[in-house]
Every structure is written in C-alpha cells, then in structure tokens.
C-alpha cells in the first residue's frame, strides 16, 4: 500500500485540500505519483501550527492528472476510511471560519 505524506503549512492550504463532499470525509493530496480509482493508500498528515502527525488508511476517489483544467495541482482525493469522525472533527475545527468560503479548492 503506497504511503503519502503531507504537511499543511496554512489554513488556506488545508481548505484547498479538504473534500467535505466526500462522505464521511475526504482529503486531496498533491502528488505526481500515479494512482487508480479505488486504490488503497496510507496517508500521514500534519495540520497547520501543530506538531502532531495524524495518519489514516483510505481509498483514491478523485484524480487530478498533470495539466488538470483550471490550473489545479496534480494529485489524488482520498476517502478517509479509518476513524473518519476523528479526522473530520480536527480538520473542521481548524477550518470553522473557512468552510463557507467561495474560494477555489484543488478539486472543485
């Protein structure tokens, strides 16, 4: 199972990666590695201004290829399969003021 690692440096970066339309929760990971839909992956991530590293297992549900429209970065959207409520709580708590934003994200 491939491993992906991401460190979110800012709330804006986290907002652009958060995929609330994936149920129960999804996260976009910028990468140039090749993946297929449904492929299982292991993700480790660090939230802005935090030292704690979180990890989860997930499955690829979205693919932005190199050269995706709208200047979106190459990468994959991953549906979080292990402890989704835990991850959703921590991410949404940080993004509480950003969730109603109309800013573009990495996926939509």
């Amino acid at each position: 199972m491939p491993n992906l690692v991401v460190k979110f440096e800012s709330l804006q970066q986290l907002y652009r990666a958060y995929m609330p339309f994936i149920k129960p929760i999804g996260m976009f990971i910028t990468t140039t590695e090749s993946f297929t839909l449904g492929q299982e992956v292991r993700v480790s991530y660090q939230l802005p201004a935090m030292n704690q590293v979180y990890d989860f297992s997930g499955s690829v549900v979205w693919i932005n290829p190199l050269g995706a429209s709208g200047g979106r970065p190459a990468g994959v959207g991953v549906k979080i399969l292990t402890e989704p409520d835990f991850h959703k709580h921590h991410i949404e708590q940080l993004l509480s003021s950003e969730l109603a934003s109309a800013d573009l994200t990495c996926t939509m």
Side-chain angles (χ1 to χ4, degrees), residues 92-108:
E92 288 189 351
Q93 187 174 22
L94 281 174
L95 292 178
S96 62
S97 64
E98 306 288 324
L99 290 177
S101 173
D103 291 344
L104 294 176
T105 68
C106 293
T107 56
M108 296 180 85

Side-chain angles (χ1 to χ4, degrees), residues 4-8 14 27 29 43-47 52-56 80 86-88 90-91:
L4 295 167
V5 178
V6 63
K7 181 177 181 180
F8 295 106
L14 178 60
M27 180 184 293
I29 311 296
V43 176
S44 296
Y45 69 96
Q46 191 172 357
L47 296 171
Q52 175 78 30
V53 175
Y54 301 99
D55 52 29
F56 62 85
I80 297 175
F86 171 83
H87 298 285
K88 184 174 185 166
H90 286 289
I91 291 169

Side-chain angles (χ1 to χ4, degrees), residues 35-92:
F35 292 90
T36 57
L37 290 175
Q39 184 174 357
E40 290 194 18
V41 295
R42 185 94 180 135
V43 176
S44 296
Y45 69 96
Q46 191 172 357
L47 296 171
M50 299 183 117
N51 293 324
Q52 175 78 30
V53 175
Y54 301 99
D55 52 29
F56 62 85
S57 293
S59 64
V60 174
V61 296
W62 185 286
I63 298 174
N64 275 1
L66 281 170
S69 65
R72 289 181 172 84
V76 292
V78 178
K79 179 179 182 175
I80 297 175
L81 299 175
T82 53
E83 300 184 272
D85 292 335
F86 171 83
H87 298 285
K88 184 174 185 166
H89 171 76
H90 286 289
I91 291 169
E92 288 189 351

